[in-house]
Amino acid sequence: MRLLIIEDDPLLQRSLAANLREENYAVDTADDGESGLFKASNSDYDCIVLDGMLPVFDGWEVLRRLRPLKSTPVLMLTARDAVPDRVRGLDAGADDYLTKPFDSDELLARIRALIRRSSGQASSLLEIDGITIDTASRTVSQDGKEISLTAREYALVEYLALHRSQVVSRSELYEHLFDEDDDTLSNLLDVHVSNIRKKLGPEFITTRRGHGYSVE
Amino acid sequence: MNLLFHSVRWRLQLWHALILLGVITALCMLAYRLAVEDRRERIDRELEAFERAFMRSFWEVQSRKNKEDKIPSTGELRQRFRSLENAQDFPLEMRDLFDPEAKDSTYLAFWDGNGQTLFRSANAPASLGCPKLSSSDGDRKVGTRGIYRELIQGGPRGFRSMVGRDISSDRMALARLGWQITGSGALFWLLGLLGGWWLAGRAIQPIEAISQTASRIAGGKLSERIDIAGTDNELTRLSQVLNETFDRLAAGIERQRDFTADASHELRTPLTVILSETSRGLKRERTAEEYQEVISNCSHAATRMRSLVESLLLLARQDDSPELRREVVDLSSVASDSIQLLQPLADQHGIRVIADLESARCSADPNALSIVAGNLISNAISHQPDGGEVRIRVFSEERQVVLEVADHGPGISAEHLPRLFDRFYRIDPARGSASGHSGLGLAIVRAIVENHQGGVAVESAPGEGATFRVSLPGMA
């Protein structure tokens, strides 16, 4: 899952990014409205964390300009908890908001919920052919037995499971699993897929030659 | 009861009742008095007329009996009066004189100079005696004796006549009139009270409306105002004054609310950093370097919060205690101290600080003044592009001491100038806390300078830098 954080305060931006990277998200950052909008409209993020008060133009303006182009879920951070500010954010196209100061566990849970919702899943448990994916605790189990996956492997499984019955292209997978600073080798994806097949069985991920991968 | 008299309406009503009662009582008493006078005069006239008519009849009867026409002597007169027994000689209205039963009709009596009774009508009361007159001739006296009204007249040779009447029936009539007057007076008073109550109610109604609006405003509906109707009277003007006061209060509360919101907004971001960093640090075991990074981030955030809290406290102290600790201060030495403190910052950016300081003494709080100088100079340094210069001047001018700080930075456009000294006002709303600026520096400068009865002004145009000028009352 790849996230974008648009926050002008360098300390908070660093802290949020560190927190999210430790949860195995690929994280991009932007520190003003303009660069944030540029990144948000040129890549497919799974979720955007957007601060209200930003240089160049503020968070509400970013939303106003982004919404005609992308429907990426947006979680807004507001420092003022005045109702009009929150209403303005939601009306401008934000999907959720958090008032500073917030608990980072709550932030993580809200991001998970937004990603789940945007791919049409209501529950945090996904069941596919006896394989259960718990997106809250980030674990995968088969027939009640927990299967140990690396962070990247888990991210790949989760992304494919959330986009079940869709063919997901390799470039899409690259975009969502690695952030802009990652220099990845092009065959790294194949290595992850083959490792997952060893752990979950060869039928779990289907390869569509020339198109990508899918989970049925 | 006590509460009743605290109400304006009741108090108005009470005064109204008292005044009305006084006026009506006075009028009633006057009317009664006039009626009594009138009645008495009428009785007196009647008595006089009666006597005259009696005398005329008497002489007519006498002249019929004695044909001679000369003034009779006392003895003859007595003789003649004694002979008055025949009521038939007199007109009808005088016949009661000879009827001992006719107690309530007019009676008559005559006496000679020695007090001997000449004539006494049969209906005269038994208590009737010879009256005394001070001088004998032509004297006339009207008096009331018990229930009788009597007219006593002196005549020639000490003769005295008395004509009188029982006036108890007149008195009863007057008493009846008195009750009637009292009754109608009371009725008028009650009507007046009702009218007064209604009037007081009408007069108080707008006040009632004003107080209701005011209490709604006090209850938190700050946008409400007193409805000012078209008419222009004292209450309308009062309402206008109140509305203006409410406007000012509401604006003050609004400013205070904004200030609190801004202050908490400024504190929220570093607080979020601390929360986020500590929860990240606690989530799992880390290397010493990672822990150091977490702690260092928390420390940065806490430092920022401290400087903001200090600024807020400073500002609050300026608001709370306009009483200053004053001593004689040389503004130039305050400025040179601040320059010395900030020199490293200027050096870091390669900025030259050019100081032109004349001795300028004023009475002020030296710590507060060094905050003013420090804020202005550090602002100038941070807005000045690297490698330029910042000019600082201190001089005296027309009984004022002036501190001028000028930079050649990007300048400030005209739309921002009026609000530049407002709390948390930033030209770029997002530029700020991150770069260590709380948005309170200039607000603190203004608060301090105004507490010193001074003024602060700024001159700037985009691209031409900015010049801040603080002037304080100087010392001779």
Side-chain angles (χ1 to χ4, degrees):
Chain A
M1 298 291 138
R2 188 161 167 204
L3 309 180
L4 174 64
I5 299 173
I6 311 176
E7 165 67 61
D8 63 318
D9 186 285
L11 269 182
L12 184 57
Q13 192 202 75
R14 224 171 34 222
S15 173
L16 287 179
N19 244 319
L20 291 169
R21 286 203 180 102
E22 284 180 13
E23 293 294 315
N24 295 311
Y25 288 107
V27 180
D28 291 354
T29 55
D31 26 55
D32 61 55
E34 197 175 25
S35 63
L37 179 65
F38 178 80
K39 286 185 180 176
S41 43
N42 285 300
S43 326
D44 280 325
Y45 289 100
D46 293 289
C47 183
I48 297 170
V49 178
L50 175 66
D51 188 23
M53 298 287 263
L54 289 171
V56 191
F57 44 78
D58 65 18
W60 295 277
E61 184 64 22
V62 170
L63 272 174
R64 206 180 58 75
R65 298 196 193 185
L66 176 70
R67 274 301 171 238
L69 309 170
K70 297 265 178 189
S71 60
T72 320
V74 171
L75 172 69
M76 223 172 159
L77 302 180
T78 57
R80 287 170 171 250
D81 58 359
V83 174
D85 279 353
R86 290 181 283 180
V87 170
R88 216 175 115 214
L90 292 173
D91 282 348
D95 298 274
D96 200 357
Y97 68 83
L98 263 179
T99 308
K100 293 179 192 172
F102 48 81
D103 195 279
S104 44
D105 286 340
E106 187 179 356
L107 175 74
L108 294 172
R110 282 181 191 258
I111 289 173
R112 283 198 296 273
L114 281 178
I115 292 172
R116 203 167 65 219
R117 275 286 172 196
S118 71
S119 52
Q121 300 290 332
S123 160
S124 62
L125 285 178
L126 307 170
E127 284 234 27
I128 299 160
D129 293 336
I131 293 169
T132 311
I133 301 158
D134 186 342
T135 58
S137 62
R138 310 178 73 84
T139 52
V140 176
S141 49
Q142 191 165 29
D143 304 325
K145 264 203 312 213
E146 194 178 318
I147 295 181
S148 134
L149 293 178
T150 69
R152 277 276 155 74
E153 287 163 8
Y154 171 79
L156 182 55
V157 169
E158 190 191 86
Y159 191 84
L160 288 172
L162 284 174
H163 298 84
R164 196 177 168 182
S165 311
Q166 292 170 26
V167 181
V168 181
S169 70
R170 289 170 64 86
S171 64
E172 189 182 344
L173 279 173
Y174 271 116
E175 198 154 300
H176 285 274
L177 299 185
F178 305 103
D179 63 40
E180 55 194 358
D181 304 328
D182 265 327
D183 281 325
T184 47
L185 298 165
S186 58
N187 67 341
L188 194 62
L189 208 54
D190 302 314
V191 176
H192 287 316
V193 169
S194 87
N195 283 342
I196 292 167
R197 282 189 174 135
K198 274 181 209 152
K199 291 176 183 176
L200 297 176
E203 267 81 59
F204 184 67
I205 297 176
T206 319
T207 305
R208 300 289 173 87
R209 219 155 278 289
H211 293 284
Y213 300 101
S214 75
V215 168
E216 299 299 327
Chain B
M1 206 60 188
N2 214 356
L3 220 132
L4 270 188
F5 291 113
H6 283 156
S7 138
V8 174
R9 190 177 195 179
W10 275 99
R11 237 189 277 183
L12 272 180
Q13 181 69 2
L14 185 71
W15 280 108
H16 178 242
L18 284 176
I19 292 169
L20 197 62
L21 185 67
V23 170
I24 288 178
T25 311
L27 278 178
C28 289
M29 280 168 72
L30 183 68
Y32 182 70
R33 186 88 225 142
L34 286 175
V36 168
E37 294 283 326
D38 177 61
R39 178 65 65 117
R40 191 187 296 146
E41 266 170 39
R42 215 165 58 223
I43 292 170
D44 292 352
R45 271 201 307 276
E46 266 172 36
L47 289 176
E48 219 170 329
F50 185 84
E51 194 198 17
R52 222 174 288 135
F54 172 78
M55 288 312 279
R56 207 177 307 124
S57 307
F58 173 68
W59 290 117
E60 261 172 34
V61 172
Q62 291 309 312
S63 53
R64 249 185 281 140
K65 282 182 182 170
N66 320 296
K67 299 298 177 207
E68 2 158 3
D69 195 14
K70 63 177 177 108
I71 296 166
S73 67
T74 314
E76 282 169 342
L77 262 179
R78 183 177 291 132
Q79 209 55 51
R80 288 187 193 177
F81 274 125
R82 287 231 172 103
S83 66
L84 284 178
E85 264 142 33
N86 192 358
Q88 307 305 320
D89 294 341
F90 287 91
L92 214 63
E93 70 268 20
M94 290 182 194
R95 288 194 185 148
D96 281 347
L97 286 173
F98 305 95
D99 180 3
E101 300 305 314
K103 291 285 183 210
D104 50 354
S105 54
T106 311
Y107 56 85
L108 269 170
F110 297 93
W111 293 270
D112 65 8
N114 306 321
Q116 292 284 312
T117 307
L118 294 177
F119 173 74
R120 185 191 165 103
S121 65
N123 62 350
S127 59
L128 192 69
C130 175
K132 288 189 172 58
L133 280 173
S134 45
S135 63
S136 54
D137 205 32
D139 204 355
R140 185 170 180 280
K141 194 175 106 187
V142 193
T144 307
R145 188 173 57 84
I147 57 165
Y148 303 105
R149 181 76 181 169
E150 291 169 341
L151 170 67
I152 301 154
Q153 274 180 305
R157 283 172 283 165
F159 275 87
R160 259 155 278 178
S161 71
M162 172 190 279
V163 54
R165 181 154 81 80
D166 180 350
I167 53 167
S168 50
S169 65
D170 297 81
R171 283 191 172 167
M172 261 155 66
L174 276 177
R176 224 173 16 251
L177 179 71
W179 282 117
Q180 276 165 3
I181 289 177
T182 310
S184 33
L187 193 69
F188 281 127
W189 189 59
L190 284 176
L191 283 175
L193 286 189
L194 282 177
W197 184 247
W198 179 73
L199 265 182
R202 265 184 67 98
I204 279 178
Q205 206 172 26
I207 301 179
E208 211 42 44
I210 290 172
S211 82
Q212 271 171 13
T213 313
S215 53
R216 273 201 301 278
I217 292 170
K221 293 187 174 172
L222 292 177
S223 57
E224 283 221 17
R225 288 295 174 268
I226 298 162
D227 183 27
I228 298 173
T231 53
D232 183 37
N233 58 28
E234 293 90 335
L235 283 176
T236 321
R237 284 192 287 283
L238 171 69
S239 309
Q240 275 163 355
V241 170
L242 282 175
N243 277 349
E244 282 161 21
T245 312
F246 291 143
D247 283 342
R248 273 202 298 280
L249 284 177
I253 291 169
E254 195 61 38
R255 266 203 308 280
Q256 195 60 42
R257 199 178 281 163
D258 281 350
F259 175 67
T260 318
D262 285 337
S264 69
H265 169 235
E266 295 298 323
L267 287 168
R268 277 165 200 263
T269 305
L271 197 54
T272 312
V273 171
I274 292 176
L275 280 174
S276 156
E277 283 299 274
T278 45
S279 91
R280 182 165 74 98
L282 290 172
K283 209 166 267 176
R284 60 178 168 82
E285 195 102 349
R286 283 162 197 281
T287 64
E289 287 77 32
E290 280 177 324
Y291 278 127
Q292 255 168 8
E293 193 206 331
V294 166
I295 292 170
S296 142
N297 285 343
C298 286
S299 155
H300 274 120
T303 310
R304 202 153 90 207
M305 288 173 83
R306 183 184 61 188
S307 90
L308 182 62
V309 168
E310 273 169 2
S311 295
L312 286 172
L313 275 179
L314 194 61
L315 207 49
R317 233 175 283 137
Q318 290 302 319
D319 287 348
D320 281 354
S321 55
E323 292 299 309
L324 292 164
R325 189 171 59 86
R326 281 181 185 260
E327 51 190 78
V328 179
V329 184
D330 192 335
L331 193 55
S332 62
S333 64
V334 171
S336 76
D337 286 350
S338 301
I339 293 169
Q340 222 164 10
L341 272 175
L342 291 164
Q343 193 65 53
L345 181 68
D347 292 344
Q348 202 183 320
H349 294 279
I351 292 170
R352 271 184 304 140
V353 178
I354 300 169
D356 174 10
L357 311 176
E358 285 172 26
S359 171
R361 296 194 314 151
C362 61
S363 156
D365 178 347
N367 292 334
L369 281 197
S370 61
I371 291 169
V372 169
N375 281 357
L376 290 180
I377 297 169
S378 68
N379 263 1
I381 292 174
S382 60
H383 286 100
Q384 173 66 45
D386 289 4
E389 61 181 38
V390 167
R391 279 179 184 276
I392 295 148
R393 283 177 69 204
V394 173
F395 56 94
S396 303
E397 177 190 82
E398 289 172 15
R399 273 178 287 160
Q400 290 209 311
V401 293
V402 179
L403 165 68
E404 234 176 49
V405 180
D407 65 57
H408 301 287
I412 304 154
S413 60
E415 84 226 49
H416 297 298
L417 290 177
R419 296 198 56 203
L420 202 59
F421 293 96
D422 285 1
R423 292 163 186 202
F424 291 118
Y425 186 75
R426 292 199 189 98
I427 292 166
D428 181 348
R431 181 205 156 90
S433 50
S435 49
H437 291 284
S438 59
L440 288 174
L442 287 177
I444 291 171
V445 167
R446 180 170 68 176
I448 292 174
V449 170
E450 283 177 357
N451 269 357
H452 282 82
Q453 286 81 44
V456 58
V458 58
E459 261 176 52
S460 182
E464 290 175 20
T467 304
F468 287 84
R469 188 186 162 104
V470 168
S471 44
L472 298 168
M475 285 178 84

